[in-house]
Amino acid sequence: MKRMKRALIGLAVGAVAALGVVGLAACGGNTTTLEGEYQYTAWNTNYGVKVEVTVNKDDNTIEKVEIVESDYVQCTESWEDRNIYVNGEAELLAAYEGISVDDVLAMTVTLDKDGIPTAVSESDLLITGATQSSGRLLKAVQDALADYESAE
């Protein structure tokens, strides 16, 4: 009777452990987080942005983009239309979710001679009226993904 009880307990513990592993995999356990940045100096200001990009290694898509604190200026306090970017930033970051690494790397940001973004090829990743900030963000995400190697 004791052996039967131990066997059942052992089976139950094993089943719980197996479910935990399956649950972890289903919750995005196979991810990697990469860091990137883009910066330039213009109008005596060091513009730029640093990001952390979380990639799902199972399907090579972006799970999350987060802006990391840095000394760069992503949006100046004196910019008259600053709220256009500030109010749209969370939605812009969320727009990256589910896009494949290859698709993001294929997008283009047109830069002027000083490295200032003047156009973004993907309208879903552009806040109208905040092209420079949107372009800096895309360039930083691409920098993070530049050395990513898929598991395929």
Side-chain angles (χ1 to χ4, degrees):
M1 188 72 159
K2 283 186 178 183
R3 285 186 184 177
M4 175 84 78
K5 192 175 181 181
R6 281 188 197 159
L8 287 174
I9 290 172
L11 257 160
V13 169
V16 169
L19 286 173
V21 169
V22 170
L24 180 61
C27 292
N30 194 18
T31 62
T32 188
T33 301
L34 309 158
E35 293 184 0
E37 65 184 307
Y38 181 73
Q39 69 87 33
Y40 58 88
T41 301
W43 306 291
N44 297 316
T45 303
N46 192 20
Y47 289 96
V49 62
K50 285 186 178 185
V51 295
E52 284 186 349
V53 180
T54 303
V55 176
N56 180 319
K57 295 180 354 183
D58 292 328
D59 62 5
N60 298 314
T61 59
I62 295 176
E63 284 195 359
K64 188 175 192 179
V65 175
E66 293 180 282
I67 294 177
V68 179
E69 190 173 330
S70 72
D71 292 335
Y72 300 138
V73 175
Q74 171 65 336
C75 191
T76 59
E77 294 290 333
S78 62
W79 178 27
E80 183 178 305
D81 295 324
R82 157 180 228 285
N83 284 338
I84 291 172
Y85 177 78
V86 171
N87 294 336
E89 183 181 76
E91 187 176 337
L92 178 60
L93 293 170
Y96 283 89
E97 294 172 15
I99 301 176
S100 76
V101 170
D102 289 339
D103 286 349
V104 171
L105 290 173
M107 295 174 187
T108 58
V109 177
T110 305
L111 305 172
D112 75 2
K113 64 180 177 47
D114 296 316
I116 301 169
T118 59
V120 175
S121 68
E122 181 58 47
S123 63
D124 289 343
L125 300 180
L126 171 67
I127 298 174
T128 302
T131 303
Q132 291 178 23
S133 297
S134 301
R136 283 191 291 271
L137 182 61
L138 178 53
K139 292 294 283 180
V141 170
Q142 289 175 326
D143 179 58
L145 299 175
D147 295 327
Y148 173 73
E149 292 188 24
S150 69
E152 295 177 356

